[in-house]
Amino acid sequence: MSSLNKILIPFDFSEASVNALEYVVNFVGTEKSIGILGLYVSKMPISDSDNEKLGKDFSKLMDSFGVRLKVASEFKTETGKVISTILAAQEKSNADLIMMGTMGDKVTDEAITNTSKLVLEANCPVISIPYGTSIKEPKNIALVMGGEKIDDKAVLGTLLDVARTFDARVHVLTIYKDSVYDEQAIKESNENLLEYYLEHFYADHTFSKNEDVEQGILDYIKEKNIDLLTILPRNHTEKSTPSEGRLTKLLTLHSEIPVLALD
């Protein structure tokens, strides 16, 4: 049974957010009891009339997608700083997942900062949805891992939920910059865990050496026809130093498919 009950989508009526909303609506579909909460964040207070108009415009967009949801969508507006307001709304609404649109590297520095900050600061899973991505169900999912042993096993729960929902195959990728001499030891330490927590959705584990880790991941996406890329931005690993988020930022900017950041 899925533990996904509510999805929060930051929404500002931009092309990227409309594209993301359509993706989210199709992600939820007609059979899943998952609520969608659209959140409009304004730096300045919004009048009652403008607030009402935004709500009506959001409802019209939802209707235009032609998907009859099991749970009626919600829409709310908040005033404040973008990132902190979104994170506060996620906690208050008990949303299990944030799904947000992004223009990738075709945006201003401020938008890039907002996207990466949200992914890295959220205490829940986040799926960033690049503008122009195909509106389709994820059937092949890639989980990118480092060479360390996974410590926080529960973090794989959302990935399993998504795999179950769409009957998707999970392909695990480990990329090394240097030697792969300890490949076997690492594989053995994680293999049983992956098979147990990802059940029969776990397909295979590929080890690859590449000086450019990001390019290696992007090449793998094309080679395997991956629909959803999954990353662990905070290095949920045993005795490891938390990542500064550089790879997460790069993948969020350059990936042409949605990126699920687990937390």
Side-chain angles (χ1 to χ4, degrees):
M1 183 177 178
S2 175
S3 62
L4 294 178
N5 296 305
K6 182 176 286 187
I7 295 172
L8 171 66
I9 173 168
F11 190 82
D12 61 4
F13 294 91
S14 64
E15 289 181 316
S17 67
V18 171
N19 179 77
L21 183 61
E22 184 177 5
Y23 185 93
V24 172
V25 168
N26 282 272
F27 183 93
V28 172
T30 59
E31 302 299 322
K32 294 181 279 294
S33 297
I34 301 175
I36 296 174
L37 171 60
L39 176 68
Y40 182 92
V41 180
S42 174
K43 293 181 179 179
M44 303 293 291
I46 302 173
S47 66
D48 290 341
S49 59
D50 286 343
N51 195 30
E52 183 179 356
K53 184 179 185 303
L54 288 170
K56 288 181 177 178
D57 289 345
F58 182 82
S59 294
K60 287 179 181 177
L61 262 176
M62 292 293 292
D63 292 340
S64 72
F65 298 136
V67 178
R68 188 180 293 276
L69 302 170
K70 288 188 74 172
V71 179
S73 63
E74 304 173 71
F75 179 80
K76 65 185 301 184
T77 60
E78 294 284 359
T79 303
K81 295 182 179 179
V82 175
I83 302 302
S84 59
T85 302
I86 292 172
L87 296 179
Q90 180 270 321
E91 288 190 10
K92 187 176 180 181
S93 66
N94 291 315
D96 307 291
L97 175 66
I98 298 175
M99 296 179 73
M100 63 177 188
T102 175
M103 290 296 287
D105 54 5
K106 301 182 287 294
V107 291
T108 64
D109 288 342
E110 181 180 0
I112 291 173
T113 301
N114 284 341
T115 300
S116 58
K117 276 187 176 179
L118 182 60
V119 170
L120 293 169
E121 293 182 21
N123 289 318
C124 74
V126 178
I127 296 181
S128 61
I129 305 163
Y131 178 66
T133 193
S134 299
I135 308 298
K136 63 179 182 179
E137 295 182 349
K139 290 298 185 181
N140 284 293
I141 302 172
L143 169 61
V144 176
M145 291 175 52
E148 305 89 351
K149 181 179 178 181
I150 295 176
D151 183 33
D152 187 357
K153 304 170 184 65
V155 80
L156 297 175
T158 299
L159 175 57
L160 177 58
D161 276 340
V162 174
R164 280 176 176 164
T165 297
F166 299 103
D167 192 24
R169 304 275 77 76
V170 179
H171 307 271
V172 180
L173 172 66
T174 297
I175 293 184
Y176 294 85
K177 279 187 176 181
D178 303 309
S179 173
V180 296
Y181 72 92
D182 55 351
E183 169 186 324
Q184 192 59 39
I186 294 165
K187 183 174 181 179
E188 289 176 358
S189 68
N190 284 327
E191 210 70 13
N192 289 339
L193 182 147
L194 291 168
E195 289 179 356
Y196 179 78
Y197 279 90
L198 297 178
E199 302 175 356
H200 65 278
F201 304 104
Y202 174 43
D204 51 58
H205 192 163
T206 299
F207 291 82
S208 175
K209 181 180 177 181
N210 196 316
E211 290 293 328
D212 187 334
V213 175
E214 182 200 6
Q215 190 58 52
I217 293 170
L218 297 178
D219 290 343
Y220 181 85
I221 287 173
K222 291 182 179 179
E223 177 189 338
K224 289 278 190 177
N225 294 315
I226 299 299
D227 306 306
L228 177 67
L229 176 65
T230 307
I231 56 177
L232 302 168
R234 290 190 178 184
N235 282 358
H236 294 267
T237 50
E238 199 172 72
K239 298 179 181 178
S240 65
T241 303
S243 166
E244 295 180 357
R246 181 175 179 275
L247 182 60
T248 298
K249 291 177 183 178
L250 290 172
L251 291 172
T252 302
L253 288 173
H254 300 149
S255 176
E256 296 181 356
I257 63 171
V259 177
L260 166 59
L262 296 174
D263 202 308

